[in-house]
Amino acid sequence: MTKSKSHRPIRHLTERVLGLVLMNGRVAGLSYRFGGHGRLKVVREEVTLGTAAQLPRPLRIGFASDFHAGPTTDPAIFDDLLAALRRERPDVLLLGGDYVSFDAANVDRLSAYLAAYAQTAPLGAYAVLGNHDVWNGSAPIVAALRAAGVNVLVNGAAALPAPFGAVSVCGIDDPWTGAPSAQATFAGSAPGALRLYLMHSPDGLWHLDGLRYDVGFAGHTHGGQIARRSGAQLFRPSGPYSRRYSFGRFDFPDNGPLFVSRGIGCAGIPLRLNADPELLICTLRATA
Ligand SMILES: [Fe+2]
């Protein structure tokens, strides 16, 4: 990480002022109470893999992203996510980054939830970092994630525990503010492993270097966060692939499907409109 990517005085000053205007979360509390954070939804998807896939049984993956702990997000939405995870009990939990807004110390508002989230997944929890984490200095965020029992992947891969050892979670550094390397990310997966590609934003596809994955997961876009009823977004996320693949499922002829989540919290202002927060539950099955 270079200093220019993590240390932006004008951004930090603006965010400090905004934090004061938002009364350090009180405005977000009102927003949540009156429906301004939307209602958390569980989105269910299925992927059928080829006969070569070594799955002893269907694998249920939970994916949540963009928490934005801080003045823009009321922690009640983290309670909603925890309740949903305890109901769903995915085998493994993937976390897509942007744990904080405005200040890395805001991860303290999320730490207890991270530990509780990780405990809902018997095969563990795996995380990548987002642009807001890099901007605010990611070291305390990485420390909090690790203390909560979350495996943080920065251009790295980890095999799931038995009986899913043939599945690797491959997590790339943030596509634009980090130092992403798909070569390094996938090098850590065992030959022939089924590769889950975890990236903060869909722009992780931009950095693939022709490499293949089996199923991809991204956040960052918030589904626009503020959209018309038609789904048309008032604000478009940064990054060409983030604008093209702003939320939902995308199937490609030459690679695995990509799932883009609307995320959990709010960035910038404590408001979501027609872009409800979501927990993705994705079930992978091997062809019989
Ligand atoms: Fe975000």
Side-chain angles (χ1 to χ4, degrees), residues 65-68 96-101 130-132 200 219-222 225 262-263 265-267 272:
S65 188
D66 295 270
F67 301 83
H68 289 281
D98 275 3
Y99 304 96
V100 302
S101 279
N131 51 304
H132 286 259
H200 174 58
H220 178 63
T221 67
H222 297 210
Q225 190 167 313
R262 291 187 177 95
C266 305
R272 279 179 176 265

Side-chain angles (χ1 to χ4, degrees), residues 87-248:
R87 280 196 307 272
E88 297 293 330
R89 300 229 14 117
D91 294 307
V92 59
L93 177 63
L94 307 182
L95 304 173
D98 275 3
Y99 304 96
V100 302
S101 279
F102 298 177
D103 190 331
N106 286 329
V107 77
D108 291 347
R109 308 185 194 202
L110 187 62
S111 295
Y113 291 100
L114 290 170
Y117 295 162
Q119 286 168 10
T120 65
L123 299 181
Y126 302 81
V128 289
L129 300 174
N131 51 304
H132 286 259
D133 307 316
V134 175
W135 281 334
N136 288 294
S138 58
I141 298 164
V142 171
L145 285 159
R146 289 190 172 141
V150 177
N151 190 339
V152 183
L153 299 168
V154 181
N155 296 327
L160 295 185
F164 288 98
V167 179
S168 284
V169 183
C170 306
I172 195 166
D173 200 0
D174 180 64
W176 298 121
T177 63
S181 166
Q183 295 286 351
T185 297
F186 289 117
S189 65
L194 195 153
R195 305 203 290 198
L196 309 181
Y197 184 30
L198 180 58
M199 61 202 105
H200 174 58
S201 82
D203 296 287
L205 301 185
W206 180 275
H207 296 283
L208 265 176
D209 260 349
L211 296 174
R212 291 198 78 260
Y213 63 85
D214 293 282
V215 188
F217 299 90
H220 178 63
T221 67
H222 297 210
Q225 190 167 313
I226 297 180
R228 299 184 199 279
R229 272 193 196 162
S230 64
Q233 300 170 11
L234 268 60
F235 304 102
R236 308 194 74 198
S238 58
Y241 281 50
S242 297
R243 290 191 283 275
R244 191 183 304 174
Y245 308 117
S246 62
F247 68 89

